Amino acid sequence: MGREVLPKVYNPHEVEAKWYKFWEKKGYFRAEIEPGKKPYTIVIPPPNVTGSLHMGHALNNTLQDIVIRKHRMQGDATLWLPGTDHAGIATQNVVERQLAQQGLTRQDVGRDEFIKRTWEWKEQYGSRIINQLKRLGASCDWSRERFTMDEGYSKAVRRDFVQLYHEGLIYRDKYIVNWCPRCFTALADIEVEYKEQEGNLYYVKYMVKDSQDYITVATTRPETILGDTAVAVHPEDARYKDYVGETVILPILGREIPVIADDYVNPAFGTGALKVTPAHDPHDFEIGERHKLERISVFTPEGKMNENAGPYKGMDRYECREAIVKDLAEQGLLVKIEPMTHSVGHCYRCDTTTEPYLSTQWFMRMKPLAEPAIKVVEDGLISFVPEQWTKTYFDWMYNIRDWCISRQIWWGHRIPAWYCKDCNEVIVAEEEPTSCTKCESTNLEQDSDVLDTWFSSALWPFATLGWPDDTAELRYFYPTSLLVTSHDIIFFWVARMIMMGLHFMGKKPFSDVYIHALVRDEFGRKMSKSRGNVIDPLDVIEEFGTDALRFTLSSMATPGRDIFLSKERIEGYRNFANKLWNASRFVLMNLEGYKKIEVADSDLALADRWILSRMNRVTVQVDEAIKEYNFAEASRLIYDFFWSDFADWYIELSKPRLYQKEDEHMRLVTQNLLVDVVDHTMRLLHPFMPFITEEIWQKLPGPGESIVIAPWPAANISIINDVVESEMALIQSVTSSIRSIKSVLGIALTKPVKALLSTPDEGKKEILERDSSYIKQLAWVEELIIGTGIIKPKHAAVDVEQGVEIFVPLEGLVNIEEEKNRLAKELSKTEADAEKSRRKLENPQFVEKAAPHVVEKEKAKLAELDEKISKLEKQLESL
């Protein structure tokens, strides 16, 4: 630190590049094992290597950085461990699109070449994501950066799989899975996104063998009729009692299938008769298991009809649907078609409609793993913030199903299982076997599937610290302290990390899970590449600077409420950065003759005691807000303190003492207080706005190498004074009232006026008299009369604040009649504007259809108009 005046205009890009380079060079972000110190650890939710970071990442990492920087300043052994995720399906899709531009498929180039190209793509784009994080100001320990497919991590994944397999928690079986015909892979249940879609319910006749009778079956997927192996009815359904055990003829193909009775059938849905397709519906699969029905698959992995589809072989599934409905109608087997809305599953990556598909896959048994993971949350050892997400966690965990962990893609952790082609033995091992453990044959083939990306991600809190090796880092930094993530991956990631952490480490992976909001566009829509409404954080940084973006996000991070991001909001917080700069620049420009002194209590005026009380109170409140992860409240407190208390009030009140030359000691006292408040506030604000605070702090007089390692400001509780703050609040209320009167009546602020203050309260009267100079200075009052029972002068503006009547005589200041006319016109216009706004807010269509932030903006506008009306009416009445 060393005193130097700031440039007139703040240039964020110049400042940001300079300081981040400095911080990295100095190694401030590097974590060290410090015996005797309690560590504070966060593992970054690893962003996918696909493309660039989105605004959700910007929010997530800003909040993590706030907490990490605060703990670093508090002197904790702080580790923020970074890394990226290989993102199996997503990354493979990107590379396949690149191949498609060359007229190639992954099958054309082969598995080894495809994986080689994917690694090349990762090396090119993975660093871009890391660089974006650095531009965001993320103070991660980059020396510890990990990737979910690096050598050490791959070792951990293999150990995980092999151990769980030998414990009987991983198994291979043929089962109905969610299949994406676009990605050619199975998906876990939670990777399927369900959307309401318009569809049809088709009623089809299944003729009873050797009879004119028929059973009508309703289906939304007539193309799957070709795979039916039974018709099921409820055993107590009187309508079909006589048909149980009979045979019906499968429409189109003419195959004979039985009528069976099963409790699963809902007699009230459709006709009460259910077509059973064990290969293409999970419930039908279970019915098929109970009744030993044949499983007939009619789809290819691409979603086309296979050889079991008879005349429809080769058709797309939807093409087949149209054709089969036409044929059913022509054969007199289509009873009717009813339009309906139903929930249809889509691939969470490519949005293709998924298909229930019979396939041999690897699964993980979840119930034994879920039980201890439920208990740690029930016992309060892991807390969700906001608390409402605990219920979401429990809802899923209590109803957990086995997890399909295999994926039919090439990019990812290949399943460490080998099959002996001579004796069919399955060998699961961490290292590639050279021969069969049963027959010693060398004719082995590795499973071609890879593991679900979330399988490897579940190990992140401990695999990144060296597991399965017993490293010093693992012993010191695990369990971690905090996880910051979004609610949409509580199931995908958070729950699985808890399960894996408890299973392999015997300890919870973290103590707190802060679930932040989603960042939506200004209309409240989710940002997505398909919609084209993704805002690149770098574009915002280029226009407004990093600190403006970070402070916007933290200011809007209200627990439980989504963020609707707009340029207008970011611009507002860019203005805050400018306010920080200009106010600090004013202080630095007025430090001539400065030296550090011990300020005695007797040197302090009301304004001094007030700013010190407010500063320490705000420090306590900010500290508490961050501990509670209420980032919006912490941001608001600092914003209001610096902009309003310090810049708008205290700096203005300090000017007479700074500018006078008679009392050098008083000038020094004022300079010291100004420097102390700027220093304290910069340190308080640093975790939120790291760049501008470093630049300003470096220019302040005093010792210190960097604000990054400067001590977190400690509050002096003894300085917090309710009486002082109350007295100053009275002065502020009266001053603001006189300034408001001038504004409403069109009187220039700097125009000297006379003011009369009347109050029956002797205590308030004493305060007003003692510190009347503040009112005179800031409201430009040349004559101030303070008393009790003062009669309102003729033609005087009137206001009342905190039991104090305020009179400002207007004779000679305004033309009374003209002013009455002007105020009446302005009142009429303001009332019309307010009525228009009120009607808009009373319109259900506007309230329901407009983006929430637009509605809030309209409400704020109406509140301002109503306040203005009140002031105009008051001044009109006084005239």
mmCIF file of all heavy atoms in Angstrom, residues 756-782:
data_model
loop_
_atom_site.group_PDB
_atom_site.id
_atom_site.type_symbol
_atom_site.label_atom_id
_atom_site.label_comp_id
_atom_site.label_asym_id
_atom_site.label_seq_id
_atom_site.Cartn_x
_atom_site.Cartn_y
_atom_site.Cartn_z
ATOM 1 N N LEU A 756 -37.610 26.699 9.488
ATOM 2 C CA LEU A 756 -38.026 26.718 10.891
ATOM 3 C C LEU A 756 -38.356 25.288 11.307
ATOM 4 O O LEU A 756 -39.094 24.579 10.598
ATOM 5 C CB LEU A 756 -39.255 27.611 11.086
ATOM 6 C CG LEU A 756 -39.088 29.103 10.725
ATOM 7 C CD1 LEU A 756 -39.433 29.338 9.260
ATOM 8 C CD2 LEU A 756 -39.985 29.951 11.613
ATOM 9 N N LEU A 757 -37.812 24.850 12.435
ATOM 10 C CA LEU A 757 -38.046 23.511 12.944
ATOM 11 C C LEU A 757 -38.724 23.620 14.304
ATOM 12 O O LEU A 757 -38.217 24.288 15.202
ATOM 13 C CB LEU A 757 -36.729 22.750 13.092
ATOM 14 C CG LEU A 757 -35.793 22.724 11.869
ATOM 15 C CD1 LEU A 757 -34.511 21.972 12.192
ATOM 16 C CD2 LEU A 757 -36.495 22.098 10.664
ATOM 17 N N SER A 758 -39.884 22.959 14.439
ATOM 18 C CA SER A 758 -40.645 23.057 15.685
ATOM 19 C C SER A 758 -40.916 21.667 16.249
ATOM 20 O O SER A 758 -41.425 20.786 15.545
ATOM 21 C CB SER A 758 -41.971 23.779 15.426
ATOM 22 O OG SER A 758 -42.718 23.878 16.616
ATOM 23 N N THR A 759 -40.548 21.456 17.513
ATOM 24 C CA THR A 759 -40.805 20.169 18.147
ATOM 25 C C THR A 759 -41.010 20.358 19.651
ATOM 26 O O THR A 759 -40.308 21.149 20.289
ATOM 27 C CB THR A 759 -39.641 19.184 17.918
ATOM 28 O OG1 THR A 759 -39.919 17.982 18.639
ATOM 29 C CG2 THR A 759 -38.300 19.741 18.382
ATOM 30 N N PRO A 760 -41.976 19.653 20.233
ATOM 31 C CA PRO A 760 -42.191 19.738 21.677
ATOM 32 C C PRO A 760 -41.188 18.871 22.455
ATOM 33 O O PRO A 760 -41.103 18.951 23.666
ATOM 34 C CB PRO A 760 -43.611 19.200 21.852
ATOM 35 C CG PRO A 760 -43.792 18.270 20.704
ATOM 36 C CD PRO A 760 -43.001 18.832 19.563
ATOM 37 N N ASP A 761 -40.431 18.051 21.739
ATOM 38 C CA ASP A 761 -39.485 17.126 22.379
ATOM 39 C C ASP A 761 -38.168 17.850 22.642
ATOM 40 O O ASP A 761 -37.428 18.186 21.710
ATOM 41 C CB ASP A 761 -39.262 15.921 21.453
ATOM 42 C CG ASP A 761 -38.454 14.824 22.120
ATOM 43 O OD1 ASP A 761 -37.442 15.132 22.777
ATOM 44 O OD2 ASP A 761 -38.815 13.638 21.940
ATOM 45 N N GLU A 762 -37.864 18.058 23.914
ATOM 46 C CA GLU A 762 -36.658 18.806 24.280
ATOM 47 C C GLU A 762 -35.386 18.077 23.844
ATOM 48 O O GLU A 762 -34.404 18.707 23.452
ATOM 49 C CB GLU A 762 -36.626 19.052 25.806
ATOM 50 C CG GLU A 762 -37.533 20.169 26.280
ATOM 51 C CD GLU A 762 -37.192 21.519 25.649
ATOM 52 O OE1 GLU A 762 -35.982 21.823 25.510
ATOM 53 O OE2 GLU A 762 -38.128 22.253 25.280
ATOM 54 N N GLY A 763 -35.423 16.749 23.901
ATOM 55 C CA GLY A 763 -34.243 15.978 23.495
ATOM 56 C C GLY A 763 -33.929 16.177 22.020
ATOM 57 O O GLY A 763 -32.774 16.398 21.638
ATOM 58 N N LYS A 764 -34.983 16.114 21.186
ATOM 59 C CA LYS A 764 -34.782 16.313 19.746
ATOM 60 C C LYS A 764 -34.350 17.744 19.449
ATOM 61 O O LYS A 764 -33.504 18.001 18.590
ATOM 62 C CB LYS A 764 -36.066 15.968 18.988
ATOM 63 C CG LYS A 764 -36.355 14.482 18.964
ATOM 64 C CD LYS A 764 -37.640 14.161 18.218
ATOM 65 C CE LYS A 764 -37.895 12.647 18.208
ATOM 66 N NZ LYS A 764 -39.169 12.286 17.574
ATOM 67 N N LYS A 765 -34.944 18.690 20.181
ATOM 68 C CA LYS A 765 -34.601 20.106 20.010
ATOM 69 C C LYS A 765 -33.115 20.319 20.302
ATOM 70 O O LYS A 765 -32.399 21.014 19.563
ATOM 71 C CB LYS A 765 -35.471 20.944 20.945
ATOM 72 C CG LYS A 765 -35.290 22.454 20.839
ATOM 73 C CD LYS A 765 -36.452 23.144 21.548
ATOM 74 C CE LYS A 765 -36.175 24.620 21.772
ATOM 75 N NZ LYS A 765 -35.304 24.869 22.931
ATOM 76 N N GLU A 766 -32.644 19.668 21.348
ATOM 77 C CA GLU A 766 -31.234 19.805 21.731
ATOM 78 C C GLU A 766 -30.302 19.244 20.649
ATOM 79 O O GLU A 766 -29.284 19.840 20.309
ATOM 80 C CB GLU A 766 -31.000 19.062 23.050
ATOM 81 C CG GLU A 766 -29.599 19.254 23.620
ATOM 82 C CD GLU A 766 -29.394 18.449 24.879
ATOM 83 O OE1 GLU A 766 -30.366 18.263 25.648
ATOM 84 O OE2 GLU A 766 -28.255 17.988 25.081
ATOM 85 N N ILE A 767 -30.690 18.087 20.097
ATOM 86 C CA ILE A 767 -29.882 17.471 19.032
ATOM 87 C C ILE A 767 -29.831 18.374 17.808
ATOM 88 O O ILE A 767 -28.769 18.611 17.229
ATOM 89 C CB ILE A 767 -30.466 16.089 18.644
ATOM 90 C CG1 ILE A 767 -30.366 15.114 19.819
ATOM 91 C CG2 ILE A 767 -29.766 15.521 17.416
ATOM 92 C CD1 ILE A 767 -31.237 13.875 19.679
ATOM 93 N N LEU A 768 -31.000 18.896 17.409
ATOM 94 C CA LEU A 768 -31.071 19.767 16.229
ATOM 95 C C LEU A 768 -30.235 21.031 16.420
ATOM 96 O O LEU A 768 -29.574 21.501 15.483
ATOM 97 C CB LEU A 768 -32.530 20.122 15.936
ATOM 98 C CG LEU A 768 -33.428 18.946 15.497
ATOM 99 C CD1 LEU A 768 -34.893 19.359 15.505
ATOM 100 C CD2 LEU A 768 -33.034 18.449 14.105
ATOM 101 N N GLU A 769 -30.269 21.579 17.626
ATOM 102 C CA GLU A 769 -29.496 22.801 17.897
ATOM 103 C C GLU A 769 -27.997 22.496 17.907
ATOM 104 O O GLU A 769 -27.198 23.237 17.320
ATOM 105 C CB GLU A 769 -29.921 23.393 19.243
ATOM 106 C CG GLU A 769 -31.292 24.049 19.189
ATOM 107 C CD GLU A 769 -31.782 24.502 20.555
ATOM 108 O OE1 GLU A 769 -31.304 23.972 21.589
ATOM 109 O OE2 GLU A 769 -32.663 25.378 20.582
ATOM 110 N N ARG A 770 -27.637 21.371 18.536
ATOM 111 C CA ARG A 770 -26.221 21.046 18.658
ATOM 112 C C ARG A 770 -25.566 20.791 17.301
ATOM 113 O O ARG A 770 -24.435 21.201 17.046
ATOM 114 C CB ARG A 770 -26.070 19.799 19.546
ATOM 115 C CG ARG A 770 -24.623 19.403 19.850
ATOM 116 C CD ARG A 770 -24.586 18.029 20.502
ATOM 117 N NE ARG A 770 -24.991 16.986 19.561
ATOM 118 C CZ ARG A 770 -25.582 15.848 19.914
ATOM 119 N NH1 ARG A 770 -25.879 15.605 21.185
ATOM 120 N NH2 ARG A 770 -25.912 14.963 19.003
ATOM 121 N N ASP A 771 -26.296 20.112 16.420
ATOM 122 C CA ASP A 771 -25.709 19.756 15.121
ATOM 123 C C ASP A 771 -26.430 20.426 13.966
ATOM 124 O O ASP A 771 -26.543 19.866 12.874
ATOM 125 C CB ASP A 771 -25.727 18.230 14.960
ATOM 126 C CG ASP A 771 -24.807 17.546 15.959
ATOM 127 O OD1 ASP A 771 -23.592 17.814 15.918
ATOM 128 O OD2 ASP A 771 -25.312 16.765 16.791
ATOM 129 N N SER A 772 -26.883 21.632 14.210
ATOM 130 C CA SER A 772 -27.589 22.385 13.164
ATOM 131 C C SER A 772 -26.685 22.668 11.969
ATOM 132 O O SER A 772 -27.167 22.860 10.845
ATOM 133 C CB SER A 772 -28.126 23.707 13.734
ATOM 134 O OG SER A 772 -27.046 24.495 14.221
ATOM 135 N N SER A 773 -25.382 22.698 12.189
ATOM 136 C CA SER A 773 -24.448 22.987 11.086
ATOM 137 C C SER A 773 -24.576 21.941 9.975
ATOM 138 O O SER A 773 -24.386 22.241 8.801
ATOM 139 C CB SER A 773 -23.008 23.031 11.596
ATOM 140 O OG SER A 773 -22.641 21.771 12.146
ATOM 141 N N TYR A 774 -24.871 20.682 10.354
ATOM 142 C CA TYR A 774 -25.039 19.635 9.342
ATOM 143 C C TYR A 774 -26.214 19.959 8.423
ATOM 144 O O TYR A 774 -26.141 19.814 7.200
ATOM 145 C CB TYR A 774 -25.297 18.281 10.007
ATOM 146 C CG TYR A 774 -24.134 17.715 10.801
ATOM 147 C CD1 TYR A 774 -24.353 16.713 11.740
ATOM 148 C CD2 TYR A 774 -22.833 18.166 10.609
ATOM 149 C CE1 TYR A 774 -23.305 16.173 12.478
ATOM 150 C CE2 TYR A 774 -21.775 17.632 11.341
ATOM 151 C CZ TYR A 774 -22.014 16.640 12.273
ATOM 152 O OH TYR A 774 -20.982 16.104 12.990
ATOM 153 N N ILE A 775 -27.321 20.379 9.040
ATOM 154 C CA ILE A 775 -28.526 20.697 8.257
ATOM 155 C C ILE A 775 -28.253 21.901 7.361
ATOM 156 O O ILE A 775 -28.595 21.897 6.161
ATOM 157 C CB ILE A 775 -29.717 20.989 9.198
ATOM 158 C CG1 ILE A 775 -29.999 19.764 10.088
ATOM 159 C CG2 ILE A 775 -30.964 21.360 8.402
ATOM 160 C CD1 ILE A 775 -30.983 20.003 11.210
ATOM 161 N N LYS A 776 -27.630 22.924 7.936
ATOM 162 C CA LYS A 776 -27.324 24.127 7.151
ATOM 163 C C LYS A 776 -26.433 23.793 5.955
ATOM 164 O O LYS A 776 -26.668 24.271 4.840
ATOM 165 C CB LYS A 776 -26.631 25.164 8.044
ATOM 166 C CG LYS A 776 -27.545 25.850 9.045
ATOM 167 C CD LYS A 776 -26.748 26.869 9.856
ATOM 168 C CE LYS A 776 -27.656 27.676 10.779
ATOM 169 N NZ LYS A 776 -26.887 28.686 11.548
ATOM 170 N N GLN A 777 -25.434 22.970 6.199
ATOM 171 C CA GLN A 777 -24.478 22.644 5.129
ATOM 172 C C GLN A 777 -25.122 21.831 4.012
ATOM 173 O O GLN A 777 -25.005 22.179 2.833
ATOM 174 C CB GLN A 777 -23.302 21.861 5.711
ATOM 175 C CG GLN A 777 -22.283 21.407 4.662
ATOM 176 C CD GLN A 777 -21.363 20.317 5.168
ATOM 177 O OE1 GLN A 777 -21.166 20.163 6.369
ATOM 178 N NE2 GLN A 777 -20.784 19.548 4.245
ATOM 179 N N LEU A 778 -25.810 20.759 4.371
ATOM 180 C CA LEU A 778 -26.288 19.816 3.356
ATOM 181 C C LEU A 778 -27.616 20.213 2.727
ATOM 182 O O LEU A 778 -27.952 19.736 1.639
ATOM 183 C CB LEU A 778 -26.401 18.413 3.950
ATOM 184 C CG LEU A 778 -25.069 17.779 4.389
ATOM 185 C CD1 LEU A 778 -25.300 16.364 4.898
ATOM 186 C CD2 LEU A 778 -24.066 17.754 3.247
ATOM 187 N N ALA A 779 -28.405 21.063 3.396
ATOM 188 C CA ALA A 779 -29.682 21.503 2.811
ATOM 189 C C ALA A 779 -29.597 22.954 2.322
ATOM 190 O O ALA A 779 -30.591 23.509 1.890
ATOM 191 C CB ALA A 779 -30.806 21.352 3.830
ATOM 192 N N TRP A 780 -28.414 23.553 2.437
ATOM 193 C CA TRP A 780 -28.204 24.940 2.017
ATOM 194 C C TRP A 780 -29.218 25.868 2.704
ATOM 195 O O TRP A 780 -30.014 26.537 2.060
ATOM 196 C CB TRP A 780 -28.268 25.085 0.495
ATOM 197 C CG TRP A 780 -27.093 24.430 -0.182
ATOM 198 C CD1 TRP A 780 -26.929 23.117 -0.395
ATOM 199 C CD2 TRP A 780 -25.915 25.086 -0.691
ATOM 200 N NE1 TRP A 780 -25.724 22.857 -1.013
ATOM 201 C CE2 TRP A 780 -25.072 24.065 -1.226
ATOM 202 C CE3 TRP A 780 -25.490 26.411 -0.778
ATOM 203 C CZ2 TRP A 780 -23.847 24.330 -1.814
ATOM 204 C CZ3 TRP A 780 -24.267 26.688 -1.379
ATOM 205 C CH2 TRP A 780 -23.449 25.651 -1.877
ATOM 206 N N VAL A 781 -29.169 25.843 4.020
ATOM 207 C CA VAL A 781 -30.051 26.691 4.836
ATOM 208 C C VAL A 781 -29.212 27.843 5.402
ATOM 209 O O VAL A 781 -28.231 27.609 6.108
ATOM 210 C CB VAL A 781 -30.691 25.882 5.984
ATOM 211 C CG1 VAL A 781 -31.515 26.793 6.888
ATOM 212 C CG2 VAL A 781 -31.565 24.753 5.412
ATOM 213 N N GLU A 782 -29.601 29.071 5.079
ATOM 214 C CA GLU A 782 -28.816 30.217 5.571
ATOM 215 C C GLU A 782 -29.299 30.683 6.945
ATOM 216 O O GLU A 782 -28.537 31.257 7.727
ATOM 217 C CB GLU A 782 -28.866 31.371 4.572
ATOM 218 C CG GLU A 782 -30.257 31.923 4.288
ATOM 219 C CD GLU A 782 -30.235 33.041 3.257
ATOM 220 O OE1 GLU A 782 -29.132 33.496 2.913
ATOM 221 O OE2 GLU A 782 -31.328 33.430 2.793
#
